[in-house]
Amino acid sequence: MGEDAGDRGSSADGLAPVGLPMAETSPKAEAAKLLPFLALGERADLQAAAAQHVLALSGSGPGRTLLAGQAALLQALVELAVAPPPAPARDAARALVNLAADPGLHKPLLAAEPRLPVRLLGCALDPHWPWAEEAAAVLANLSREPVPCAALTEALAATEPGESGLERLVRALCTPGYNARAPLHYLGPVLSNLSQRPATRAFLLDRNRCVVQRLLTLTQYPDSSVRRGGVVGTLRNCCFEHRHHEWLLGPEVDILPFLLLPLAGPEDFSEEEMERLPIDLQYLPPDKQREPDADIRKMLIETIMLLTATAPGRKQVRDQGAYLILRELHSWEPEPDVRVTCEKLIQVLIGDEPERGLENLLEVQVPEEIERQLQQQDHQEREQCEREQQELELGPGPQAEKAAST
């Protein structure tokens, strides 16, 4: 989910008139000369010009590598990113987004400022901070890797008594207008990354907190695929905890309709088939659109697949008519890898039940030789999907237009 901030093509034109050193020197020396102009208390116009120059450097691989070798400059960049106006905090934060998008640069970033996750978390959850979205985007990129993710988890656990840090994060994500100046879409991927850790999943699945129920409505959040994808990724990670499946599929949560609805189209089922579907999936309007993002569609299918790991889970998923939605999705699906994932779930739903002792698919011990064969088969399927995707992209115009329209 990590993404670079904008301004990749920003040029350094116009910096010389405000007094920055632009004489011909090595790139490393030039970067080092920016440091005094990034200091807090420097003239605002010089600060802004220096921050723009750093942002431009961070938009390329060589530029990021150059900045990563300047510990003092990275520390100054962090100070600017969390500084109040008139400091150019937005450009500084955007540069950090770009730097954090490269996992290889996480170590120098955290070495320059070990408290970086803590400080950015404070900005991201401050309902009045204007650049909270940028702070959340940096955290989304950092938390993809184990060490920064652990540091962020500790920061959330160490917040002040009362409302926990995770509770504040969930509230900010689920509350419209939490920050009137920042949409906070990137808190979705932050939560998804955090949910890879058992302690976060335990919080999310605490039946007294109703956290999962608050997240479910965001699976169809219309304004941001980043937020939708982060929430679906969070739900998928939670579904690895198979002991909670009965609760998740039961009436207290009723997760399945929220996973199936984004996969459903405007199909007109027979009356008999319609009665097998949950109420929310019956008689959908003729203009009903499926989730447009292929990666999110795949995660939704994978989440349902996890819920079929146990025999009771498979029965509940079958009984709610999931096959009907998946059958129509498979006929419509333009992306080969998503179609293959859909096929695997359909096979689980229509296939025979595993023999006694193997009912829980998440606990089955697969022999090494069979595991190697399955990995090889999976690799071949991915190669086949790539070939099919290339054929679609190289096909005649009308076919390509049809694929794009779906």
Side-chain angles (χ1 to χ4, degrees), residues 361-379:
L361 304 182
L362 288 176
E363 293 183 339
V364 173
Q365 298 295 319
V366 181
E368 290 185 8
E369 179 60 29
I370 295 179
E371 186 173 0
R372 280 195 294 270
Q373 293 174 5
L374 291 172
Q375 290 174 347
Q376 183 178 6
Q377 181 181 351
D378 188 54
H379 179 69

Side-chain angles (χ1 to χ4, degrees), residues 29-47:
E30 183 179 309
K33 287 183 178 180
L34 289 170
L35 179 58
F37 301 96
L38 294 171
L40 296 180
E42 183 55 81
R43 270 174 42 193
D45 57 339
L46 296 180
Q47 269 187 345

Side-chain angles (χ1 to χ4, degrees), residues 388-405:
E388 291 180 17
Q389 185 63 41
Q390 289 173 355
E391 290 172 2
L392 283 173
E393 293 171 353
L394 296 174
Q399 182 179 5
E401 288 176 8
K402 182 177 180 182
S405 67

